[in-house]
Amino acid sequence: MIELKNEKVINLSLCFIYACLVIFFSAHLPLPFISVLAGLCLWNAFITGKNIAKPNAWLANILAAGALGLMVFTIGMSDTVILFVAMLLLSSLFKLLQAKNKKHYHVITTLTFFSLSSVYLFSQTIVTTLTVSGLYILNFAVLGLLESKHNLKISAKQSSKLLLMALPLAIFLLLFLPKMPAFWQLPGPKLAKTGLSEQVDPFDIAKLSNSDELVFRATFSKQPPLTPYYWRAIIHDEFNGNAWLTSDFLKYNNQQSNQNLATEQNTLIANYSVIAEPATQKWLYGLTYSTSNSKNVDANALGLLRKQSYQAKSLQYNVASYQFSVNPLNEFEQNRYTYLGFKQNIKTNKLAMQLKEQVSNEQTFYNALLNYFVEQNFTYTLTPSPMSGNNTLDQFLFENKRGFCGHYASAAAFIFRSAGIPARVVSGYLGGEYNNDNNTLTVRQYDAHAWVEVYLQNKGWTIFDATAVVAPERLNGSLSQNQELNEEFKNNLDFGLVSLSNFAAINWLRLELEQLDYQWSSWVLGFDQEKQNDFLKSLFGNKTSWLVPLFVLITAALCFAVYFIYLNWPKTKTAKLPPIVKAYNEILHWGNKKNITSTDSLSPSQQLEFMAKKKPSASKELIEFKHLFENSRYANKPFTKERKTQAKDLIKLIKSSK
Amino acid sequence: MPAKKAKRVSLFTSFKRIIFEKFLKNKHLKNSITLEHNTIYVLPSSLGWYFVIVAILNFVMGINYQNNLILVMSYLMFVVIVLAVCMGYSNAKGLTVTFDKVLPSFSPQKPILKLSLQSNSICQSVSITYNNDLKAHTHYDTISNKSISSSLLLPYENRGSYELQRIKIASNYPFGLVSVWSYLQIQTKTYVYPAHEYVLSDAHISSQDEYAQNGMAKKPGTEEFENLLIHQPEMGLNRISWKHYAKTKQLLVKDFVDFKTTNALFDFNLMTGATEQRLSQLCYLVCEATEHNTPFMLKLPNTLININTGQAHKQQCLESLSSFAGDNND
């Protein structure tokens, strides 16, 4: 087999790439497995760095079998995508540990191209893209190193040159090659991150950890509607004694919304488009009663939006939001939204009855309950005291009186139902950070919220949000812009730019980065079939079907042909002149202009002497330059920096002489 | 299973050979080749095919997950492989490989093939392989317009005469993704001479030599002891055999002869041992005789090389020894 020339550099570079991948995937893989991968990386780097013999095949195979077992045990078989990534990383690292010849390294580097792409399944932010691109260049450099004796720097330079050359063409192909629909449905990676969950169970939470992760962005086509924005995602219609759940009935009996009906009867509130970040859950976000005409989005009769199929990328969709219908509920619905299976919270039930006795109709009950929360000095907190038992609502309402949105929503919905008023808990997001520059609202995980929708006669579903009276600041804008809760909020936040938003410069930087991120997700990540069709139509009109492939083929062929011709163009070698000769040529040029050069073919020294005679005013400098020239050209004296400046000065003096 | 595999390989190689013989041979039957559009072959290397497969996998993944970044990666890989084909071709173009000579060897040494390489533009990462044999392989990182002399050990150790097989000039530049190659088919033979086997010279000097009555023509010399003569005063004292003088008190003078003047006949049938052994002995004798400038005649079962001396004669004899096929006389 052909010998490897710089195996150490190759091995360490690959090891570095995999170390980066391991760090990236540490957020997605279980800790024991990640530590095995990190250990393999370190071991490999250690034995390569110290030139220790590689472990023999038996040992490596036994270890690999052990690691494989650990992998299956810790990850499980349910999430195939992460299992596949884990297998890829594990096998590449073991191969790297044992790699001896060129062929082994070839296999690893080609596999690495695949491992690097798999990062994009989990994250597509600008930072990830830049990092992966860097690693991609490094991987190419390793390929180059395998073939030649160069050092890593030259090889990296060559590979980035090649990739930079190829990139415009690749982008061109992305823009113009007709986008195909997915060949088959693939399981998506399970991303465990959202502030929402299928059940609202606030009582065992001691501290609400806030994440400033982006959830979605909404861009209003015209003037944005009035605040507050309640972004609905999930409806919880069943109470199990502690938590509010989404009943199976709602999950599976979701008839499609009758869009025409909604459009005809109700008034339009707003038109907007939303870019939702990748998430495993199917739910999407909309204001009040939402409908959508986007392809991948379903709207149901509750006015909620759902993804049609799982997609591991950000999804952009258009929404039209209407006011809720005032049609009365039918008997079935009436029963369902007032049903309470568990009635252990006796005190709360009693409170509901008391309030009901005091008021005449549903609207006044609604107001009375709001008043109750204000009068009883309830406070809003992100660090409530955990409660347990089967009367958690009683404990909250009559003992603690401190809580966050989940507590208030749970309690209020229970009270409404106890009083026989149809109610449901809705979770979603409240508010968002509005950016005036691009009419865009940015909603993050810390904007997660829960509230109650009550059915009031003649008004339809109405939002009841006790948080609104307990902490009214929470209604307008995002938590990050909220002065009073700011301190508590920031203490809860993982370290990030938002937690530093007190400093004007950092806040400005944060907003700029957000803007960039917005452009990135709407133009790069969100460039889908629909956008491509619009884009192509704007270029080619309606003849796209045959014109586009032709255009792509011709352009690609042309690019390759031009590059090929460029490569094979006979190169005229212009030997680099030594700097002193260049300086001499400059003087000669000046002499020619002044007509003081000899037409005879003279050596440079003779020519300079001739000029010195003809031009006595500059003769001293010319002679000095002659000495300099002779010294550096014939006496083998190095042309140092001092000599260079001397030559420059002399030329200046010669030229300025009269 | 292994048998099946072996068969498939041989089928493939024989197919390749047929292709080569039908379409390529005449183009490459030269002593010098300059790589040009009609003599360069370009295809992705095995690494290149892996690379394409990974690009396709990335493409499928990008389409299925509707992920633009993965799609760009995949397109990038496709574009890179096409660019690599262009680069590989123009890298190899203009490379000239010229056959200088081939130096025969004595078994078990290997003959050496001398080539000179030169390129009018810089050509990177060139490897030369003889007859697809990984052991007969040299690699050059760069070849410029200064001619480089390259020597290649041919993979022949056993005595014999060998037709030179085709030489593959290949480059995996850039990144090993493509292989650009061409052939050079030199039409000449090389020899691996028999190994030397020491044998006593005078035992094989043939009595059938017609030019010498007593079996050998002698000439006064210094190398080989012939007999003792009675001392004459003009003979000096340095050749007196003092041993005899001590025994017999008689002055005797040692007489020496040189084989330089002896005509020798080296006969295959007079050697001992197996065929290869005999050839090795003859080889030694031929070399010795040439060294001492002794005219000799070589007799093999099928061939007779007439008496002569000098390097050309030696080479002729060695070549016929190398290409000796077996004694068909008996």
Side-chain angles (χ1 to χ4, degrees), chain A residues 471-626:
Chain A
E473 324 80 53
R474 182 74 183 79
L475 287 192
N476 301 308
S478 186
L479 261 185
S480 61
Q481 294 165 328
N482 184 326
Q483 281 304 314
E484 230 162 276
L485 286 170
N486 216 322
E487 278 313 304
E488 194 183 11
F489 164 70
K490 275 174 198 158
N491 291 338
N492 269 320
L493 203 60
D494 311 335
F495 181 79
L497 279 180
V498 178
S499 58
L500 296 171
S501 57
N502 274 352
F503 303 98
I506 290 176
N507 208 26
W508 172 84
L509 181 72
R510 183 173 71 89
L511 291 178
E512 285 300 305
L513 286 178
E514 224 147 77
Q515 173 85 4
L516 186 70
D517 200 39
Y518 169 74
Q519 301 296 349
W520 174 257
S521 41
S522 80
W523 290 107
V524 181
L525 307 179
F527 185 78
D528 55 7
Q529 213 167 347
E530 237 168 280
K531 280 195 179 166
Q532 190 186 34
N533 279 341
D534 292 347
F535 170 68
L536 292 180
K537 247 178 210 158
S538 69
L539 280 183
F540 298 99
N542 283 326
K543 288 172 273 177
T544 49
S545 54
W546 58 272
L547 211 55
V548 171
L550 196 75
F551 174 69
V552 171
L553 276 181
I554 290 176
T555 316
L558 213 68
C559 286
F560 290 131
V562 165
Y563 180 64
F564 187 73
I565 291 167
Y566 160 75
L567 275 180
N568 289 295
W569 201 258
K571 288 180 184 76
T572 45
K573 273 181 200 160
T574 45
K576 256 197 174 172
L577 290 174
I580 186 75
V581 178
K582 273 189 197 161
Y584 167 71
N585 284 342
E586 210 177 327
I587 292 175
L588 200 65
H589 186 71
W590 166 82
N592 280 336
K593 263 192 194 163
K594 302 258 166 186
N595 260 334
I596 51 165
T597 49
S598 162
T599 45
D600 302 335
S601 53
L602 296 176
S603 75
S605 305
Q606 289 168 324
Q607 184 71 266
L608 286 167
E609 271 170 22
F610 185 84
M611 275 152 73
K613 263 183 215 160
K614 278 254 179 176
K615 187 101 183 169
S617 60
S619 73
K620 207 182 125 209
E621 288 84 9
L622 280 168
I623 296 300
E624 206 174 324
F625 185 83
K626 192 193 97 174

Side-chain angles (χ1 to χ4, degrees), chain A residues 117 179 183-184 187 313 524, chain B residues 58 64-66 68 77 141:
Chain A
S117 314
K179 288 212 159 217
F183 298 136
W184 61 81
K313 57 158 205 157
V524 181
Chain B
N58 269 340
N64 271 322
Y65 286 108
Q66 299 283 307
N68 286 337
M77 289 174 88
D141 278 315

